[in-house]
Amino acid sequence: MPANYDVPAVHVALQAARKAAGFETAAGAAAHFGWAVGRYRSHESGARKIPDADARIYAASFGVAKSTILNPDWATVDRQLDEARRITTSPRLAIARRLKCARILRGFSSAIAASKSLGIRTPTYLKHENGSNGIGEGLLESYAHDFRVSYDWLLLGKLPSGLGKEIDRNIHKIIDDPMQYLGAAAAQLAATYHGPPTHLETGRRKGTIPVPEYLWSSLIEGRGDLTKLKPKSTIQFPRVADWEDEFFSVLVDVADPKYAKYRRVFVTKSFSDVGEDTDYLVSSGKKLEIVKIPNRAAARLPNVVGRLIGTIAKFG
């Protein structure tokens, strides 16, 4: 250790360097290094001296010279603290950055696509993501639910984020450029659900999204123009089916003993590329049926309405 190692000065210098680099919490920095929080905090609190090897790691990660941490110059520390204050002056902007990061990592390449899927007016969502407007507590909870991240992380930057340990270790770098991770995130989300349809929950609770709806009878008669329908109902998708997609519901209004157990069925207009057979909604002549079709063949069939993802026996 340097002969003039000053614990209080080093404590402040390390904290200033960390904050100026954009790490809002000690836990966030520890996650970045893959360390236990206590290890990092012991250095920042002055409880333990900082080994030379760790000082080099801090310097590289925080973008400062090693001497800035171990032999702090107070003018430099003051500049770092000013930078940290500038970064954290508006918590709204920090929330906006995390919201954008969550949106992209959950497979939404654009804010417009996300707003449509969430059932939120695009101008409203854009103002939240660019930090122009603050986000109310209830809506922030909805965003956390819809993007499957921690509310505390979205609000305060506290880890874990809910995006996974690997993401948390690099969250500082990822927040700066989340688009570089979009491809991998989208691929993971697209593969989330290809199994049998699940029973879905309904009602206007937090996390519900509006779903276009039409009648089973209209579809049979060729009048089910999905492009012109307005949302009629809401649905709370379980996590297994919660990814960017086009969903719609079909109200089973025709007496058909075979499907009498359903009140509504929910389908997606996307097709799975997984080879296994999956239930699809098919319009064949004067009938509407649920048929098992090999996934890779479904997209080539002209009478396929969509892939079945859920059913509801009761609606209310």
Side-chain angles (χ1 to χ4, degrees):
M1 296 297 154
N4 62 340
Y5 188 96
D6 184 330
V7 170
V10 170
H11 153 62
V12 175
L14 180 59
Q15 185 182 80
R18 184 254 297 169
K19 290 184 175 180
F23 291 88
E24 298 172 57
T25 65
H32 173 75
F33 301 128
W35 296 349
V37 178
R39 174 179 173 181
Y40 177 83
R41 282 183 173 155
S42 69
H43 293 158
E44 194 169 287
S45 68
R48 294 169 56 190
K49 288 187 176 181
I50 304 174
D52 192 70
D54 287 355
R56 285 198 298 271
I57 293 172
Y58 291 146
S61 296
F62 298 159
V64 298
K66 185 178 73 171
S67 60
T68 301
I69 296 174
L70 296 182
N71 298 290
D73 169 70
W74 286 110
T76 300
V77 171
D78 285 342
R79 285 197 300 273
Q80 291 173 330
L81 290 174
D82 286 342
E83 176 64 11
R85 280 191 288 270
R86 184 190 66 77
I87 291 173
T88 59
T89 294
S90 175
R92 185 175 67 222
L93 295 178
I95 291 172
R97 291 178 69 222
R98 289 190 289 271
L99 179 63
K100 180 179 180 180
C101 179
R103 184 259 297 171
I104 290 173
L105 293 184
R106 289 309 186 196
F108 294 90
S109 59
S110 73
I112 294 174
S115 66
K116 289 181 177 178
S117 179
L118 301 178
I120 296 173
R121 292 179 65 251
T122 298
T124 299
Y125 181 82
L126 287 172
K127 288 178 181 178
H128 289 159
E129 193 172 286
N130 65 28
S132 298
N133 286 356
I135 308 173
E137 180 180 348
L139 189 52
L140 195 67
E141 287 182 355
S142 292
Y143 284 146
H145 175 275
D146 292 332
F147 291 142
R148 302 191 305 288
V149 296
S150 161
Y151 174 81
D152 285 342
W153 175 74
L154 200 56
L155 177 63
L156 303 169
K158 290 183 177 179
L159 296 173
S161 66
L163 293 165
K165 291 182 179 179
E166 290 302 315
I167 295 292
D168 284 353
R169 287 194 185 100
N170 298 283
I171 196 69
H172 170 64
K173 180 168 60 177
I174 291 171
I175 284 179
D176 284 342
D177 186 15
M179 284 299 292
Q180 66 179 303
Y181 295 88
L182 174 62
Q188 180 182 357
L189 291 165
T192 301
Y193 178 76
H194 297 298
T198 184
H199 294 284
L200 305 178
E201 298 178 59
T202 62
R204 295 188 176 276
R205 297 191 297 260
K206 289 178 181 177
T208 60
I209 63 173
V211 179
E213 179 179 271
Y214 63 97
L215 300 177
W216 189 282
S217 56
S218 294
L219 182 61
I220 293 174
E221 296 168 13
R223 294 189 288 107
D225 187 353
L226 302 178
T227 63
K228 297 180 180 179
L229 291 170
K230 296 180 180 179
K232 299 284 183 137
S233 61
T234 59
I235 183 71
Q236 181 167 352
F237 287 101
R239 177 170 302 200
V240 75
D242 188 14
W243 73 94
E244 180 183 5
D245 216 333
E246 293 184 74
F247 301 106
F248 54 92
S249 69
V250 184
L251 176 62
V252 185
D253 65 324
V254 175
D256 186 335
K258 188 176 180 181
Y259 304 112
K261 60 183 178 181
Y262 300 136
R263 175 64 171 140
R264 275 174 172 79
V265 297
F266 288 79
V267 297
T268 172
K269 293 170 72 174
S270 74
F271 296 100
S272 168
D273 60 0
V274 177
E276 62 192 36
D277 291 357
T278 298
D279 286 329
Y280 282 84
L281 192 62
V282 176
S283 177
S284 54
K286 293 291 183 180
K287 293 191 300 182
L288 191 62
E289 297 183 286
I290 297 171
V291 181
K292 281 194 177 296
I293 301 174
N295 281 309
R296 293 192 177 115
R300 300 193 296 270
L301 300 177
N303 59 339
V304 173
V305 177
R307 177 160 51 92
L308 193 67
I309 59 167
T311 63
I312 292 177
K314 294 181 180 180
F315 187 83

